[in-house]
Amino acid sequence: MITRLALLSGLKSRIRPLNVSHVSIRTFSQAKFPVPRPHGKCFAHRSELKQAKRIVVKLGSAVVTRGDECGLALGRLASIVEQVAMLQNQGREMLIVTSGAVAFGKQRLRHEILLSQSVRQALHSGQSQLKEMSVPVLEARACAAAGQSGLMALYEAMFTQYSICTAQILVTNLDFHDEQKRRNLNSTLHELLRMNIVPIINTNDAVVPPPVPNSDLQGVNVISIKDNDSLAARLAVEMKVDLLIALSDVEGLYDSPPGTDDAKLIDIFYPGDQQSITYGTKSRVGIGGMEAKVKAALWALQGGTSVVIANGTYPKLTGHVITDIVEGKKVGTFFSEVKPAGPTVEQQTEMARHAGRTLASLDPDQRGEIICCLAELLTEKKDEILSANKRDMEIATVSGSFSQPLINRLSLSSSKLNSLAIGLRQLAVASRDSVGRVLRRTRVANNLELEQITVPIGVLLVIFESRPDCLPQVSALAIASGNALLLKGGKEAPHTNRILHQLTQEALSIHGVSDAIQLVSTREEVEDLCRLDKLIDLIIPRGSSELVRNIQRAAKGIPVLGHSEGVCHVYVDSEASIDKAINVVRDSKCDYPAACNAMETLLVHRDLLRAPIFDQIIDMLRSEQVKIHAGPRFASYLTFSPSEVKSLRTEYGDLECCIEVVDSMQEAVDHIHKYGSAHTDVIVTENEDTAEQFLQQVDSACVFWNSSTRFADGYRLGLGAEVGISTARIHARGPVGLEGLLTTKWVLRGEGHTVADFSEQGSMTYLHENRPVPQGSLA
């Protein structure tokens, strides 16, 4: 006899306790929301979704249902509950419109039928007949009736772990179209929200009549509740909801069926764009489909509710999709009534890629002409550039939102613009031997020639803070290397960036490629840009170590070229020259302390502590108003010492530095390897053998002898300009100039050769004979 098991208790045993320790629990009084917006006006931009207070989360059948359509996807559901609980505990008002009763009921009824059949057959037919049992087709209404209570019990069990109470509400069309029932429903929902309870709403599938064809979504006051998409839309308008999140089994709305060739995910969808969409088949489960979702979304949008359609079926891949949407991240398709005046960032990237291919095909001299034209414009339009920069400086200073080092980086001057123009002219010369240069030429066999040539990387995204002078530098490098370029500048320099970009496009226009370099001036967040892995080939961050680390974490499948920090060292050896040491230390720290190549730690040989050179270095730093922090060992030598450093890995970015004592050159090397960032490190010594050992042993991108750390710069090292400094150990390292923005491709020229010709039975053999490559040779 087979013992009957309670299905619900069995499911409960499969629900693993969720980790709730990281959930932010806040009462409503602690949540900081803006003054409630008047309903009827949707959010115009994703970034505004953070202001959403009342939110409906609609869970489609494909989201809550297992792949076999018999039962619920418990792990997926647990992730959704966790996110809803997090938002509820922040003081938002959350409502859930859920599917799943039919699937849960189907699982339960199949279980019961199989148990009944097994008992009867065991009694009458013997065990040999058990394999022939079949489950009859189950009617959906019966499944819904059997599964609804279990579905609700499951939600209660999950939300209880977050100390959140839930309430079940089952509705039909009549509850919205009968005025008295509609008022009752409205009153009940408002009372539940007032008591901080999460209403869980579903259509009453056990009694709901079939939908009337073509009767849904005919206007604000008429909507047929034929599925949970239309239910969620009707509920959102009825309850004056700020945001409706519709979770499905696709990433969002595509312009053609997902999976087909050239199908593109639509980031923002506007009313009136329906004609540009080709819809595919409906979901494997449920009775809706993407067309129904779009109609429901547009109906809700018309009623004043913002909508996002996104994928809720792969929490391991998509992460916390609900909280990401509320935080304004670029997830799914956002429905908006406000169409931007300019192109989207995706359109900008496509424009840049198309024009970039034309740029790469120009003659080297033509690319050089563009760069020289840009250099001339920097000189000719100097007054306009400095005027725009002055405006940015004034706004940044008055706002009080930016640190002094950041404001220092923002400043432009005539001398900076002159240096920029000189560097660009140097780069124009170098660009004549870049794209298409032959690196290797090999004779593989008779009449089979192989070449390895330099080619552009593709589309670059450069994200920079504060320093607007990097815009023409990076643009010139992109032009020289034939790369398309997307630029995202900081909000502290909009006017300077705008005019510099306009001048760049003016220079590009002389050969008809002005679209090759785009300035992203929309509300795109940096993290959203890092998700465009199908459009962008390389990300280069220029700014603070925090910016670089954030981009490295946010990049989704896109390589990032950059350095995380600029913890640069100067080691003053026991055989150092006094004058050289003072000059190198002063320039390394004081010339431009906000730069990533400024000295942050001064290492001093122990023998110098009581020598005149040490006193003179200290006096110089004090006269330059440099705040000194003592390393642990240096502090131990002093009775009254400066403040002891909190960390030997600190990048100050200001007139501050750490001083530490070492016993030898080798100890200095070990200190640098332990606490440095592999950016730039210097030795000051008159002993050539000691210097050479230091240069060989220190594993940094730049290692100098008796020279300032500030030489770690593309212009100063003869590259003309740089896109940044890389501390990575692959591709480019150190100041990244023209060479670092090129990759290679292999070109084989033959006469009908096949690999079969070179097999054991073939008539040909490989030669692989290297051929000379003329200097400056272009393919």
Side-chain angles (χ1 to χ4, degrees):
M1 187 82 177
I2 300 177
T3 305
R4 291 175 177 266
L5 301 175
L7 178 64
L8 181 59
S9 62
L11 281 174
K12 284 185 176 178
S13 67
R14 294 168 54 194
I15 303 173
R16 291 176 293 177
L18 302 178
N19 178 12
V20 300
S21 60
H22 66 281
V23 178
S24 174
I25 307 296
R26 296 192 298 176
T27 62
F28 177 70
S29 61
Q30 291 174 309
K32 297 181 179 179
F33 290 106
V35 176
R37 64 185 178 87
H39 194 73
K41 184 178 181 183
C42 301
F43 296 122
H45 306 282
R46 282 186 184 269
S47 59
E48 297 172 352
L49 296 180
K50 297 175 184 178
Q51 303 174 35
K53 180 182 177 184
R54 185 171 292 175
I55 302 170
V56 168
V57 178
K58 180 262 173 182
L59 309 179
S61 299
V63 175
V64 299
T65 304
R66 284 192 334 223
D68 61 5
E69 302 177 21
C70 293
L72 304 181
L74 297 179
R76 202 182 294 159
L77 202 58
S79 174
I80 290 168
V81 167
E82 179 185 31
Q83 296 172 72
V84 172
M86 183 181 296
L87 295 171
Q88 179 79 5
N89 285 321
Q90 288 176 356
R92 303 179 198 267
E93 297 174 346
M94 306 298 297
L95 302 92
I96 294 178
V97 173
T98 183
S99 300
V102 173
F104 204 170
K106 184 185 291 185
Q107 181 186 27
R108 184 176 183 181
L109 293 180
R110 289 184 66 174
H111 180 76
E112 294 295 325
I113 291 170
L114 286 171
L115 285 175
S116 298
Q117 287 182 351
S118 66
V119 171
R120 288 196 300 270
Q121 291 189 21
L123 290 174
H124 301 293
S125 304
Q127 294 291 334
S128 61
Q129 301 296 318
L130 290 177
K131 294 181 181 179
E132 300 178 6
M133 290 189 302
S134 62
V135 179
V137 176
L138 299 174
E139 205 274 331
R141 289 199 184 99
C143 291
Q148 186 62 47
S149 60
L151 177 65
M152 192 61 206
L154 183 62
Y155 274 117
E156 280 193 16
M158 288 183 167
F159 273 106
T160 297
Q161 297 179 78
Y162 299 92
S163 301
I164 291 176
C165 183
T166 59
Q168 173 182 256
I169 298 180
L170 299 178
V171 298
T172 65
N173 251 328
L174 193 60
D175 295 303
F176 289 98
H177 295 296
D178 181 276
E179 186 60 28
Q180 183 59 48
K181 289 179 179 292
R182 189 185 67 80
R183 284 199 300 266
N184 290 343
L185 173 63
N186 189 297
S187 176
T188 300
L189 288 171
H190 276 94
E191 183 64 14
L192 291 173
L193 294 177
R194 187 188 67 81
M195 293 188 294
N196 202 34
I197 294 173
V198 175
I200 298 178
I201 304 112
N202 197 358
T203 51
N204 193 346
D205 294 324
V207 300
V208 69
V212 179
N214 303 319
S215 67
D216 62 318
L217 308 171
Q218 297 298 315
V220 173
N221 295 317
V222 179
I223 179 170
S224 174
I225 306 301
K226 69 173 187 177
D227 55 33
N228 278 337
D229 293 314
S230 51
L231 168 60
R234 184 68 179 89
L235 182 73
V237 174
E238 177 69 28
M239 294 297 295
K240 298 182 178 178
V241 165
D242 299 313
L243 172 63
L244 165 59
I245 299 174
L247 296 184
S248 180
D249 58 350
V250 292
E251 280 64 31
L253 176 61
Y254 286 78
D255 58 0
S256 56
T260 59
D261 292 341
D262 301 323
K264 292 183 180 179
L265 179 65
I266 298 173
D267 173 36
I268 306 178
F269 188 78
Y270 307 97
D273 286 354
Q274 296 94 311
Q275 301 303 318
S276 63
I277 305 298
T278 301
Y279 295 102
T281 58
K282 293 182 179 180
S283 169
R284 60 176 174 83
V285 291
I287 60 174
M290 187 53 72
E291 187 171 9
K293 288 177 177 58
V294 171
K295 287 181 178 180
L298 292 174
W299 192 89
L301 193 71
Q302 179 186 355
T305 296
S306 295
V307 183
V308 174
I309 296 177
N311 192 333
T313 60
Y314 300 107
K316 289 184 179 179
L317 298 178
T318 58
H320 281 184
V321 60
I322 299 171
T323 51
D324 283 350
I325 290 170
V326 176
E327 288 172 9
K329 295 180 182 178
K330 184 175 284 189
V331 178
T333 300
F334 172 61
F335 286 71
S336 175
E337 292 182 321
V338 181
K339 204 159 189 174
T344 65
V345 68
E346 289 84 0
Q347 291 170 332
Q348 284 186 284
T349 309
E350 292 288 356
M351 292 161 59
R353 185 183 292 276
H354 179 75
R357 287 171 177 152
T358 305
L359 173 66
S361 68
L362 295 177
D363 292 334
D365 287 341
Q366 292 176 308
R367 291 195 300 273
E369 287 175 18
I370 295 172
I371 298 171
C372 287
C373 178
L374 177 56
E376 295 298 328
L377 288 170
L378 291 177
T379 303
E380 292 175 11
K381 306 291 185 179
K382 183 185 303 182
D383 291 341
E384 296 177 40
I385 298 170
L386 294 179
S387 176
N389 184 246
K390 182 180 178 182
R391 186 178 178 188
D392 286 331
M393 289 281 291
E394 290 172 349
I395 294 172
T397 303
V398 171
S399 72
S401 303
F402 306 104
S403 65
Q404 192 57 47
L406 197 74
I407 294 176
N408 292 341
R409 294 190 193 105
L410 175 58
S411 176
L412 289 180
S413 63
S414 295
S415 61
K416 274 190 179 182
L417 292 176
N418 289 335
S419 296
L420 269 174
I422 294 171
L424 263 55
R425 292 187 184 97
Q426 291 177 356
L427 190 59
V429 175
S431 70
R432 293 176 182 137
D433 184 23
S434 55
V435 180
R437 187 172 78 255
V438 178
L439 299 177
R440 180 185 302 174
R441 180 172 289 162
T442 306
R443 183 185 179 194
V444 179
N446 290 332
N447 300 321
L448 189 61
E449 299 280 345
L450 175 68
E451 287 183 340
Q452 184 186 22
I453 64 174
T454 55
V455 293
I457 290 173
V459 178
L460 312 177
L461 167 62
V462 176
I463 303 169
F464 59 98
E465 285 180 324
S466 193
R467 288 184 59 178
D469 54 322
C470 86
L471 193 153
Q473 282 184 352
V474 173
S475 297
L477 283 166
I479 295 165
S481 57
N483 284 291
L485 176 63
L486 239 64
L487 292 158
K488 173 65 173 175
K491 60 183 178 181
E492 66 281 349
H495 302 95
T496 316
N497 290 337
R498 191 177 301 118
I499 188 171
L500 290 173
H501 178 247
Q502 289 171 355
L503 297 179
T504 302
Q505 288 199 307
E506 183 177 340
L508 287 163
S509 66
I510 66 175
H511 287 295
V513 288
S514 57
D515 286 341
I517 296 178
Q518 299 282 332
L519 180 65
V520 180
S521 56
T522 62
R523 292 171 176 253
E524 299 293 335
E525 298 291 337
V526 167
E527 188 168 339
D528 292 332
L529 293 172
C530 292
R531 295 172 184 262
L532 303 178
D533 57 300
K534 295 180 180 178
L535 299 174
I536 294 169
D537 299 296
L538 179 66
I539 301 176
I540 304 173
R542 292 194 58 166
S544 66
S545 58
E546 182 182 5
L547 170 73
V548 178
R549 284 195 299 269
N550 287 341
I551 291 172
Q552 289 171 333
R553 282 193 295 264
K556 306 296 182 183
I558 310 175
V560 178
L561 189 153
H563 65 279
S564 57
E565 291 175 310
V567 183
C568 303
H569 296 75
V570 173
Y571 165 56
V572 181
D573 185 55
S574 59
E575 299 180 68
S577 157
I578 292 179
D579 291 340
K580 291 178 183 177
I582 291 174
N583 288 337
V584 168
V585 172
R586 177 192 286 114
D587 192 72
S588 296
K589 179 71 261 184
C590 307
D591 175 65
Y592 190 19
C596 64
N597 58 10
M599 181 194 79
E600 305 296 3
T601 298
L602 173 63
L603 299 176
V604 179
H605 194 285
R606 182 184 59 181
D607 293 348
L608 300 181
L609 286 181
R610 291 176 175 81
I613 183 174
F614 182 71
D615 293 335
Q616 292 182 40
I617 290 174
I618 295 297
D619 290 341
M620 178 274 294
L621 290 173
R622 285 175 175 166
S623 67
E624 295 285 350
Q625 299 183 331
V626 176
K627 183 178 180 180
I628 297 173
H629 302 275
R633 192 169 179 193
F634 179 45
S636 69
Y637 283 94
L638 304 173
T639 305
F640 300 100
S641 67
S643 60
E644 187 168 341
V645 69
K646 294 180 181 178
S647 170
L648 291 168
R649 294 188 176 92
T650 302
E651 182 179 14
Y652 298 100
D654 206 346
L655 286 173
E656 296 183 62
C657 74
C658 170
I659 297 179
E660 183 58 306
V661 176
V662 292
D663 286 342
S664 63
M665 181 274 296
Q666 188 59 53
E667 191 172 309
V669 172
D670 294 341
H671 179 103
I672 290 168
H673 287 163
K674 184 174 182 179
Y675 299 108
S677 60
H679 190 295
T680 302
D681 298 290
V682 170
I683 183 172
V684 181
T685 185
E686 294 302 295
N687 188 311
E688 185 174 350
D689 291 337
T690 302
E692 290 300 330
Q693 290 181 50
F694 183 92
L695 296 176
Q696 288 182 2
Q697 292 186 35
V698 173
D699 186 22
S700 297
C702 299
V703 190
F704 301 157
W705 173 21
N706 289 344
S707 305
S708 168
T709 60
R710 294 278 290 122
F711 280 106
D713 175 85
Y715 169 68
R716 297 186 180 102
L717 297 184
L719 303 180
E722 67 175 46
V723 294
I725 293 182
S726 171
T727 55
R729 286 172 169 77
I730 57 174
H731 188 54
R733 196 166 191 229
V736 180
L738 178 57
E739 294 290 333
L741 298 182
L742 295 170
T743 185
T744 64
K745 73 176 178 182
W746 298 86
V747 176
L748 190 64
R749 297 180 175 90
E751 295 181 355
H753 292 80
T754 67
V755 293
D757 295 334
F758 296 88
S759 65
E760 291 183 5
Q761 293 77 30
S763 59
M764 305 187 73
T765 58
Y766 289 108
L767 293 177
H768 288 119
E769 176 183 85
N770 289 333
R771 307 286 295 274
V773 177
Q775 191 170 1
S777 172
L778 296 177

